[in-house]
């Protein structure tokens, strides 16, 4: 997978994870959690979830 594409997936997953965890609006929180779950499913499907965790730890 292209490094730039992988970086973008990591950034999106991180963004939605952060929004889901730090939101007071219940509807937006549910939306962001759904997006976060979808992004994590993509990471699992591409078998790059370990790389994502390493990427988060490096941030």
């Amino acid at each position: 997978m292209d490094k730039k594409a992988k970086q973008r997936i990591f950034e999106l997953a991180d963004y939605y994870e952060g929004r889901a965890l730090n939101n007071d609006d219940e509807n937006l929180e549910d939306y962001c959690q759904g997006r976060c779950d979808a992004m994590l499913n993509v990471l699992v499907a591409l078998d790059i979830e370990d790389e994502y965790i390493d990427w988060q730890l490096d941030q």
Side-chain angles (χ1 to χ4, degrees):
M1 166 177 269
D2 178 69
K3 187 175 182 176
K4 196 172 187 178
K6 192 183 295 185
Q7 174 75 17
R8 183 67 179 140
I9 290 171
F10 291 168
E11 289 170 355
L12 283 171
D14 192 59
Y15 172 78
Y16 283 115
E17 186 175 51
R19 290 288 305 267
L21 292 172
N22 298 310
N23 207 298
D24 294 331
D25 181 335
E26 194 171 308
N27 291 329
L28 188 55
E29 181 182 348
D30 289 344
Y31 169 77
C32 289
Q33 186 60 55
R35 297 291 290 182
C36 178
D37 292 344
M39 292 305 303
L40 293 178
N41 286 338
V42 168
L43 295 173
V44 169
L46 295 174
D47 198 29
I48 58 174
E49 68 272 21
D50 289 339
E51 290 179 59
Y52 171 63
I53 293 168
D54 290 341
W55 176 84
Q56 278 188 311
L57 294 173
D58 288 342
Q59 297 303 309

mmCIF file of all heavy atoms in Angstrom, residues 6-48:
data_model
loop_
_atom_site.group_PDB
_atom_site.id
_atom_site.type_symbol
_atom_site.label_atom_id
_atom_site.label_comp_id
_atom_site.label_asym_id
_atom_site.label_seq_id
_atom_site.Cartn_x
_atom_site.Cartn_y
_atom_site.Cartn_z
ATOM 1 N N LYS A 6 -1.696 5.128 3.297
ATOM 2 C CA LYS A 6 -1.694 4.554 4.642
ATOM 3 C C LYS A 6 -1.695 5.667 5.691
ATOM 4 O O LYS A 6 -2.434 5.596 6.678
ATOM 5 C CB LYS A 6 -0.475 3.648 4.818
ATOM 6 C CG LYS A 6 -0.534 2.779 6.058
ATOM 7 C CD LYS A 6 0.727 1.948 6.230
ATOM 8 C CE LYS A 6 0.905 0.940 5.140
ATOM 9 N NZ LYS A 6 2.054 0.053 5.378
ATOM 10 N N GLN A 7 -0.906 6.700 5.481
ATOM 11 C CA GLN A 7 -0.853 7.841 6.385
ATOM 12 C C GLN A 7 -2.231 8.487 6.497
ATOM 13 O O GLN A 7 -2.681 8.827 7.591
ATOM 14 C CB GLN A 7 0.180 8.860 5.893
ATOM 15 C CG GLN A 7 0.233 10.150 6.672
ATOM 16 C CD GLN A 7 0.907 10.023 8.018
ATOM 17 O OE1 GLN A 7 1.618 9.070 8.284
ATOM 18 N NE2 GLN A 7 0.692 10.993 8.871
ATOM 19 N N ARG A 8 -2.920 8.636 5.381
ATOM 20 C CA ARG A 8 -4.249 9.262 5.371
ATOM 21 C C ARG A 8 -5.250 8.406 6.144
ATOM 22 O O ARG A 8 -6.069 8.939 6.902
ATOM 23 C CB ARG A 8 -4.718 9.477 3.931
ATOM 24 C CG ARG A 8 -6.030 10.186 3.828
ATOM 25 C CD ARG A 8 -5.931 11.615 4.317
ATOM 26 N NE ARG A 8 -7.228 12.250 4.177
ATOM 27 C CZ ARG A 8 -7.747 13.073 5.061
ATOM 28 N NH1 ARG A 8 -7.082 13.385 6.132
ATOM 29 N NH2 ARG A 8 -8.920 13.597 4.884
ATOM 30 N N ILE A 9 -5.210 7.103 5.978
ATOM 31 C CA ILE A 9 -6.097 6.210 6.720
ATOM 32 C C ILE A 9 -5.834 6.340 8.213
ATOM 33 O O ILE A 9 -6.769 6.431 9.012
ATOM 34 C CB ILE A 9 -5.917 4.750 6.259
ATOM 35 C CG1 ILE A 9 -6.474 4.569 4.846
ATOM 36 C CG2 ILE A 9 -6.602 3.783 7.212
ATOM 37 C CD1 ILE A 9 -6.157 3.224 4.231
ATOM 38 N N PHE A 10 -4.575 6.368 8.604
ATOM 39 C CA PHE A 10 -4.218 6.512 10.012
ATOM 40 C C PHE A 10 -4.744 7.841 10.568
ATOM 41 O O PHE A 10 -5.290 7.891 11.670
ATOM 42 C CB PHE A 10 -2.715 6.428 10.215
ATOM 43 C CG PHE A 10 -2.115 5.071 9.972
ATOM 44 C CD1 PHE A 10 -0.746 4.929 9.888
ATOM 45 C CD2 PHE A 10 -2.897 3.934 9.824
ATOM 46 C CE1 PHE A 10 -0.166 3.679 9.674
ATOM 47 C CE2 PHE A 10 -2.335 2.691 9.611
ATOM 48 C CZ PHE A 10 -0.958 2.564 9.533
ATOM 49 N N GLU A 11 -4.584 8.908 9.803
ATOM 50 C CA GLU A 11 -5.046 10.220 10.252
ATOM 51 C C GLU A 11 -6.564 10.240 10.421
ATOM 52 O O GLU A 11 -7.078 10.806 11.395
ATOM 53 C CB GLU A 11 -4.607 11.298 9.269
ATOM 54 C CG GLU A 11 -3.121 11.573 9.305
ATOM 55 C CD GLU A 11 -2.637 12.452 8.174
ATOM 56 O OE1 GLU A 11 -3.438 12.798 7.265
ATOM 57 O OE2 GLU A 11 -1.443 12.814 8.182
ATOM 58 N N LEU A 12 -7.297 9.642 9.482
ATOM 59 C CA LEU A 12 -8.756 9.600 9.585
ATOM 60 C C LEU A 12 -9.210 8.775 10.786
ATOM 61 O O LEU A 12 -10.113 9.190 11.525
ATOM 62 C CB LEU A 12 -9.366 9.017 8.303
ATOM 63 C CG LEU A 12 -9.416 9.951 7.103
ATOM 64 C CD1 LEU A 12 -9.834 9.181 5.857
ATOM 65 C CD2 LEU A 12 -10.373 11.104 7.364
ATOM 66 N N ALA A 13 -8.608 7.634 10.982
ATOM 67 C CA ALA A 13 -8.964 6.790 12.121
ATOM 68 C C ALA A 13 -8.700 7.532 13.421
ATOM 69 O O ALA A 13 -9.533 7.538 14.334
ATOM 70 C CB ALA A 13 -8.180 5.481 12.075
ATOM 71 N N ASP A 14 -7.568 8.194 13.506
ATOM 72 C CA ASP A 14 -7.198 8.940 14.707
ATOM 73 C C ASP A 14 -8.158 10.105 14.942
ATOM 74 O O ASP A 14 -8.582 10.363 16.074
ATOM 75 C CB ASP A 14 -5.764 9.440 14.556
ATOM 76 C CG ASP A 14 -5.187 9.964 15.849
ATOM 77 O OD1 ASP A 14 -5.128 9.197 16.833
ATOM 78 O OD2 ASP A 14 -4.796 11.143 15.883
ATOM 79 N N TYR A 15 -8.530 10.793 13.880
ATOM 80 C CA TYR A 15 -9.451 11.921 13.973
ATOM 81 C C TYR A 15 -10.805 11.479 14.532
ATOM 82 O O TYR A 15 -11.307 12.079 15.491
ATOM 83 C CB TYR A 15 -9.630 12.559 12.591
ATOM 84 C CG TYR A 15 -10.715 13.598 12.554
ATOM 85 C CD1 TYR A 15 -10.499 14.878 13.059
ATOM 86 C CD2 TYR A 15 -11.956 13.312 12.000
ATOM 87 C CE1 TYR A 15 -11.497 15.838 13.027
ATOM 88 C CE2 TYR A 15 -12.962 14.261 11.964
ATOM 89 C CZ TYR A 15 -12.724 15.520 12.472
ATOM 90 O OH TYR A 15 -13.712 16.456 12.444
ATOM 91 N N TYR A 16 -11.380 10.441 13.950
ATOM 92 C CA TYR A 16 -12.699 10.007 14.392
ATOM 93 C C TYR A 16 -12.654 9.373 15.779
ATOM 94 O O TYR A 16 -13.593 9.512 16.558
ATOM 95 C CB TYR A 16 -13.347 9.079 13.373
ATOM 96 C CG TYR A 16 -13.887 9.843 12.196
ATOM 97 C CD1 TYR A 16 -13.361 9.675 10.928
ATOM 98 C CD2 TYR A 16 -14.922 10.754 12.363
ATOM 99 C CE1 TYR A 16 -13.845 10.400 9.852
ATOM 100 C CE2 TYR A 16 -15.406 11.493 11.293
ATOM 101 C CZ TYR A 16 -14.874 11.312 10.042
ATOM 102 O OH TYR A 16 -15.361 12.037 8.986
ATOM 103 N N GLU A 17 -11.567 8.706 16.099
ATOM 104 C CA GLU A 17 -11.424 8.149 17.433
ATOM 105 C C GLU A 17 -11.398 9.278 18.472
ATOM 106 O O GLU A 17 -12.081 9.218 19.501
ATOM 107 C CB GLU A 17 -10.155 7.314 17.518
ATOM 108 C CG GLU A 17 -9.988 6.570 18.818
ATOM 109 C CD GLU A 17 -8.773 5.655 18.787
ATOM 110 O OE1 GLU A 17 -7.676 6.122 18.426
ATOM 111 O OE2 GLU A 17 -8.938 4.482 19.122
ATOM 112 N N GLY A 18 -10.635 10.316 18.186
ATOM 113 C CA GLY A 18 -10.563 11.460 19.079
ATOM 114 C C GLY A 18 -11.887 12.182 19.206
ATOM 115 O O GLY A 18 -12.306 12.559 20.303
ATOM 116 N N ARG A 19 -12.584 12.367 18.088
ATOM 117 C CA ARG A 19 -13.886 13.046 18.123
ATOM 118 C C ARG A 19 -14.903 12.231 18.902
ATOM 119 O O ARG A 19 -15.725 12.784 19.625
ATOM 120 C CB ARG A 19 -14.421 13.265 16.698
ATOM 121 C CG ARG A 19 -13.709 14.280 15.852
ATOM 122 C CD ARG A 19 -13.926 15.731 16.249
ATOM 123 N NE ARG A 19 -15.301 16.166 16.323
ATOM 124 C CZ ARG A 19 -15.989 16.735 15.343
ATOM 125 N NH1 ARG A 19 -15.412 16.948 14.176
ATOM 126 N NH2 ARG A 19 -17.241 17.111 15.524
ATOM 127 N N ALA A 20 -14.875 10.911 18.760
ATOM 128 C CA ALA A 20 -15.825 10.060 19.478
ATOM 129 C C ALA A 20 -15.573 10.108 20.977
ATOM 130 O O ALA A 20 -16.510 10.101 21.778
ATOM 131 C CB ALA A 20 -15.737 8.619 18.973
ATOM 132 N N LEU A 21 -14.315 10.198 21.368
ATOM 133 C CA LEU A 21 -13.969 10.196 22.789
ATOM 134 C C LEU A 21 -14.170 11.553 23.463
ATOM 135 O O LEU A 21 -14.376 11.614 24.672
ATOM 136 C CB LEU A 21 -12.509 9.758 22.966
ATOM 137 C CG LEU A 21 -12.204 8.307 22.627
ATOM 138 C CD1 LEU A 21 -10.691 8.071 22.665
ATOM 139 C CD2 LEU A 21 -12.923 7.357 23.574
ATOM 140 N N ASN A 22 -14.114 12.630 22.690
ATOM 141 C CA ASN A 22 -14.112 13.972 23.276
ATOM 142 C C ASN A 22 -15.278 14.829 22.799
ATOM 143 O O ASN A 22 -15.095 15.999 22.475
ATOM 144 C CB ASN A 22 -12.804 14.690 22.927
ATOM 145 C CG ASN A 22 -11.607 13.980 23.491
ATOM 146 O OD1 ASN A 22 -11.588 13.667 24.668
ATOM 147 N ND2 ASN A 22 -10.613 13.715 22.668
ATOM 148 N N ASN A 23 -16.478 14.256 22.785
ATOM 149 C CA ASN A 23 -17.605 15.012 22.277
ATOM 150 C C ASN A 23 -18.762 14.974 23.255
ATOM 151 O O ASN A 23 -19.115 13.920 23.769
ATOM 152 C CB ASN A 23 -18.027 14.445 20.921
ATOM 153 C CG ASN A 23 -18.691 15.495 20.081
ATOM 154 O OD1 ASN A 23 -19.714 16.019 20.460
ATOM 155 N ND2 ASN A 23 -18.094 15.815 18.963
ATOM 156 N N ASP A 24 -19.363 16.126 23.498
ATOM 157 C CA ASP A 24 -20.503 16.221 24.407
ATOM 158 C C ASP A 24 -21.834 16.050 23.686
ATOM 159 O O ASP A 24 -22.842 15.768 24.312
ATOM 160 C CB ASP A 24 -20.495 17.568 25.134
ATOM 161 C CG ASP A 24 -19.302 17.704 26.068
ATOM 162 O OD1 ASP A 24 -18.822 16.665 26.575
ATOM 163 O OD2 ASP A 24 -18.847 18.843 26.269
ATOM 164 N N ASP A 25 -21.848 16.240 22.384
ATOM 165 C CA ASP A 25 -23.073 16.092 21.588
ATOM 166 C C ASP A 25 -23.290 14.601 21.322
ATOM 167 O O ASP A 25 -22.520 13.976 20.612
ATOM 168 C CB ASP A 25 -22.920 16.862 20.284
ATOM 169 C CG ASP A 25 -24.150 16.779 19.393
ATOM 170 O OD1 ASP A 25 -24.921 15.801 19.521
ATOM 171 O OD2 ASP A 25 -24.319 17.684 18.567
ATOM 172 N N GLU A 26 -24.334 14.040 21.898
ATOM 173 C CA GLU A 26 -24.557 12.594 21.809
ATOM 174 C C GLU A 26 -24.732 12.115 20.369
ATOM 175 O O GLU A 26 -24.213 11.064 19.992
ATOM 176 C CB GLU A 26 -25.785 12.213 22.636
ATOM 177 C CG GLU A 26 -25.912 10.719 22.878
ATOM 178 C CD GLU A 26 -27.012 10.387 23.870
ATOM 179 O OE1 GLU A 26 -27.016 10.977 24.962
ATOM 180 O OE2 GLU A 26 -27.849 9.545 23.517
ATOM 181 N N ASN A 27 -25.436 12.897 19.547
ATOM 182 C CA ASN A 27 -25.634 12.497 18.149
ATOM 183 C C ASN A 27 -24.313 12.495 17.387
ATOM 184 O O ASN A 27 -24.023 11.576 16.627
ATOM 185 C CB ASN A 27 -26.637 13.414 17.457
ATOM 186 C CG ASN A 27 -28.045 13.226 17.975
ATOM 187 O OD1 ASN A 27 -28.420 12.126 18.378
ATOM 188 N ND2 ASN A 27 -28.809 14.294 17.980
ATOM 189 N N LEU A 28 -23.517 13.542 17.604
ATOM 190 C CA LEU A 28 -22.220 13.624 16.929
ATOM 191 C C LEU A 28 -21.281 12.550 17.457
ATOM 192 O O LEU A 28 -20.518 11.956 16.691
ATOM 193 C CB LEU A 28 -21.618 15.018 17.108
ATOM 194 C CG LEU A 28 -20.356 15.310 16.306
ATOM 195 C CD1 LEU A 28 -20.568 15.066 14.817
ATOM 196 C CD2 LEU A 28 -19.901 16.745 16.550
ATOM 197 N N GLU A 29 -21.367 12.286 18.759
ATOM 198 C CA GLU A 29 -20.537 11.232 19.342
ATOM 199 C C GLU A 29 -20.860 9.881 18.709
ATOM 200 O O GLU A 29 -19.956 9.127 18.349
ATOM 201 C CB GLU A 29 -20.763 11.166 20.846
ATOM 202 C CG GLU A 29 -19.923 10.103 21.542
ATOM 203 C CD GLU A 29 -20.205 10.018 23.044
ATOM 204 O OE1 GLU A 29 -20.873 10.909 23.570
ATOM 205 O OE2 GLU A 29 -19.745 9.060 23.644
ATOM 206 N N ASP A 30 -22.157 9.580 18.540
ATOM 207 C CA ASP A 30 -22.571 8.329 17.905
ATOM 208 C C ASP A 30 -22.078 8.255 16.463
ATOM 209 O O ASP A 30 -21.602 7.216 16.009
ATOM 210 C CB ASP A 30 -24.094 8.173 17.938
ATOM 211 C CG ASP A 30 -24.629 7.882 19.325
ATOM 212 O OD1 ASP A 30 -23.832 7.501 20.211
ATOM 213 O OD2 ASP A 30 -25.849 8.048 19.521
ATOM 214 N N TYR A 31 -22.203 9.379 15.741
ATOM 215 C CA TYR A 31 -21.732 9.432 14.357
ATOM 216 C C TYR A 31 -20.225 9.167 14.296
ATOM 217 O O TYR A 31 -19.759 8.344 13.505
ATOM 218 C CB TYR A 31 -22.054 10.798 13.747
ATOM 219 C CG TYR A 31 -21.383 11.024 12.421
ATOM 220 C CD1 TYR A 31 -21.880 10.434 11.267
ATOM 221 C CD2 TYR A 31 -20.239 11.813 12.321
ATOM 222 C CE1 TYR A 31 -21.252 10.632 10.044
ATOM 223 C CE2 TYR A 31 -19.612 12.018 11.110
ATOM 224 C CZ TYR A 31 -20.125 11.421 9.970
ATOM 225 O OH TYR A 31 -19.501 11.606 8.765
ATOM 226 N N CYS A 32 -19.469 9.860 15.149
ATOM 227 C CA CYS A 32 -18.012 9.719 15.140
ATOM 228 C C CYS A 32 -17.598 8.315 15.562
ATOM 229 O O CYS A 32 -16.646 7.759 15.016
ATOM 230 C CB CYS A 32 -17.364 10.767 16.025
ATOM 231 S SG CYS A 32 -17.463 12.445 15.350
ATOM 232 N N GLN A 33 -18.316 7.737 16.529
ATOM 233 C CA GLN A 33 -18.002 6.371 16.944
ATOM 234 C C GLN A 33 -18.246 5.396 15.803
ATOM 235 O O GLN A 33 -17.475 4.469 15.582
ATOM 236 C CB GLN A 33 -18.819 5.967 18.177
ATOM 237 C CG GLN A 33 -18.423 4.619 18.738
ATOM 238 C CD GLN A 33 -16.966 4.572 19.159
ATOM 239 O OE1 GLN A 33 -16.543 5.399 19.961
ATOM 240 N NE2 GLN A 33 -16.204 3.628 18.656
ATOM 241 N N GLY A 34 -19.326 5.616 15.058
ATOM 242 C CA GLY A 34 -19.598 4.776 13.884
ATOM 243 C C GLY A 34 -18.505 4.892 12.848
ATOM 244 O O GLY A 34 -18.067 3.891 12.268
ATOM 245 N N ARG A 35 -18.057 6.119 12.596
ATOM 246 C CA ARG A 35 -16.966 6.335 11.638
ATOM 247 C C ARG A 35 -15.673 5.703 12.141
ATOM 248 O O ARG A 35 -14.912 5.122 11.375
ATOM 249 C CB ARG A 35 -16.757 7.832 11.389
ATOM 250 C CG ARG A 35 -17.934 8.540 10.773
ATOM 251 C CD ARG A 35 -18.185 8.142 9.370
ATOM 252 N NE ARG A 35 -17.126 8.668 8.530
ATOM 253 C CZ ARG A 35 -17.074 8.518 7.219
ATOM 254 N NH1 ARG A 35 -18.020 7.862 6.602
ATOM 255 N NH2 ARG A 35 -16.078 8.997 6.525
ATOM 256 N N CYS A 36 -15.417 5.831 13.440
ATOM 257 C CA CYS A 36 -14.232 5.241 14.050
ATOM 258 C C CYS A 36 -14.264 3.728 13.884
ATOM 259 O O CYS A 36 -13.272 3.113 13.482
ATOM 260 C CB CYS A 36 -14.168 5.619 15.513
ATOM 261 S SG CYS A 36 -12.762 4.910 16.395
ATOM 262 N N ASP A 37 -15.401 3.111 14.180
ATOM 263 C CA ASP A 37 -15.539 1.661 14.033
ATOM 264 C C ASP A 37 -15.306 1.236 12.588
ATOM 265 O O ASP A 37 -14.649 0.229 12.324
ATOM 266 C CB ASP A 37 -16.919 1.199 14.504
ATOM 267 C CG ASP A 37 -17.108 1.349 15.998
ATOM 268 O OD1 ASP A 37 -16.106 1.523 16.732
ATOM 269 O OD2 ASP A 37 -18.274 1.315 16.442
ATOM 270 N N ALA A 38 -15.841 2.025 11.651
ATOM 271 C CA ALA A 38 -15.651 1.708 10.234
ATOM 272 C C ALA A 38 -14.177 1.792 9.850
ATOM 273 O O ALA A 38 -13.660 0.923 9.131
ATOM 274 C CB ALA A 38 -16.485 2.656 9.368
ATOM 275 N N MET A 39 -13.479 2.825 10.336
ATOM 276 C CA MET A 39 -12.062 2.977 10.023
ATOM 277 C C MET A 39 -11.247 1.833 10.637
ATOM 278 O O MET A 39 -10.332 1.310 10.000
ATOM 279 C CB MET A 39 -11.535 4.323 10.538
ATOM 280 C CG MET A 39 -12.092 5.530 9.811
ATOM 281 S SD MET A 39 -11.854 5.506 8.027
ATOM 282 C CE MET A 39 -10.095 5.356 7.896
ATOM 283 N N LEU A 40 -11.594 1.433 11.850
ATOM 284 C CA LEU A 40 -10.876 0.322 12.472
ATOM 285 C C LEU A 40 -11.112 -0.978 11.706
ATOM 286 O O LEU A 40 -10.198 -1.799 11.586
ATOM 287 C CB LEU A 40 -11.273 0.189 13.940
ATOM 288 C CG LEU A 40 -10.832 1.350 14.830
ATOM 289 C CD1 LEU A 40 -11.328 1.147 16.262
ATOM 290 C CD2 LEU A 40 -9.337 1.542 14.820
ATOM 291 N N ASN A 41 -12.313 -1.150 11.157
ATOM 292 C CA ASN A 41 -12.580 -2.322 10.315
ATOM 293 C C ASN A 41 -11.712 -2.307 9.064
ATOM 294 O O ASN A 41 -11.239 -3.356 8.616
ATOM 295 C CB ASN A 41 -14.062 -2.384 9.932
ATOM 296 C CG ASN A 41 -14.944 -2.823 11.082
ATOM 297 O OD1 ASN A 41 -14.490 -3.456 12.022
ATOM 298 N ND2 ASN A 41 -16.212 -2.465 11.020
ATOM 299 N N VAL A 42 -11.492 -1.120 8.507
ATOM 300 C CA VAL A 42 -10.608 -0.990 7.335
ATOM 301 C C VAL A 42 -9.184 -1.382 7.719
ATOM 302 O O VAL A 42 -8.512 -2.121 6.995
ATOM 303 C CB VAL A 42 -10.651 0.449 6.771
ATOM 304 C CG1 VAL A 42 -9.528 0.672 5.762
ATOM 305 C CG2 VAL A 42 -11.996 0.750 6.156
ATOM 306 N N LEU A 43 -8.726 -0.903 8.878
ATOM 307 C CA LEU A 43 -7.373 -1.229 9.336
ATOM 308 C C LEU A 43 -7.214 -2.734 9.516
ATOM 309 O O LEU A 43 -6.188 -3.307 9.134
ATOM 310 C CB LEU A 43 -7.062 -0.511 10.649
ATOM 311 C CG LEU A 43 -7.001 1.014 10.596
ATOM 312 C CD1 LEU A 43 -6.860 1.584 11.995
ATOM 313 C CD2 LEU A 43 -5.884 1.494 9.698
ATOM 314 N N VAL A 44 -8.225 -3.383 10.082
ATOM 315 C CA VAL A 44 -8.182 -4.836 10.280
ATOM 316 C C VAL A 44 -8.185 -5.541 8.929
ATOM 317 O O VAL A 44 -7.405 -6.467 8.694
ATOM 318 C CB VAL A 44 -9.359 -5.299 11.165
ATOM 319 C CG1 VAL A 44 -9.483 -6.808 11.160
ATOM 320 C CG2 VAL A 44 -9.180 -4.794 12.592
ATOM 321 N N ALA A 45 -9.063 -5.095 8.028
ATOM 322 C CA ALA A 45 -9.168 -5.735 6.710
ATOM 323 C C ALA A 45 -7.861 -5.626 5.927
ATOM 324 O O ALA A 45 -7.484 -6.552 5.216
ATOM 325 C CB ALA A 45 -10.311 -5.112 5.913
ATOM 326 N N LEU A 46 -7.174 -4.507 6.079
ATOM 327 C CA LEU A 46 -5.900 -4.303 5.378
ATOM 328 C C LEU A 46 -4.724 -4.877 6.152
ATOM 329 O O LEU A 46 -3.586 -4.806 5.685
ATOM 330 C CB LEU A 46 -5.671 -2.812 5.119
ATOM 331 C CG LEU A 46 -6.655 -2.141 4.173
ATOM 332 C CD1 LEU A 46 -6.406 -0.641 4.135
ATOM 333 C CD2 LEU A 46 -6.556 -2.740 2.775
ATOM 334 N N ASP A 47 -5.008 -5.426 7.337
ATOM 335 C CA ASP A 47 -3.983 -6.024 8.195
ATOM 336 C C ASP A 47 -2.888 -5.016 8.550
ATOM 337 O O ASP A 47 -1.695 -5.322 8.531
ATOM 338 C CB ASP A 47 -3.389 -7.269 7.536
ATOM 339 C CG ASP A 47 -2.660 -8.162 8.531
ATOM 340 O OD1 ASP A 47 -3.041 -8.161 9.718
ATOM 341 O OD2 ASP A 47 -1.689 -8.838 8.136
ATOM 342 N N ILE A 48 -3.327 -3.789 8.874
ATOM 343 C CA ILE A 48 -2.368 -2.755 9.253
ATOM 344 C C ILE A 48 -2.719 -2.139 10.607
ATOM 345 O O ILE A 48 -2.226 -1.061 10.937
ATOM 346 C CB ILE A 48 -2.240 -1.650 8.173
ATOM 347 C CG1 ILE A 48 -3.594 -0.989 7.899
ATOM 348 C CG2 ILE A 48 -1.608 -2.193 6.909
ATOM 349 C CD1 ILE A 48 -3.512 0.215 6.953
#
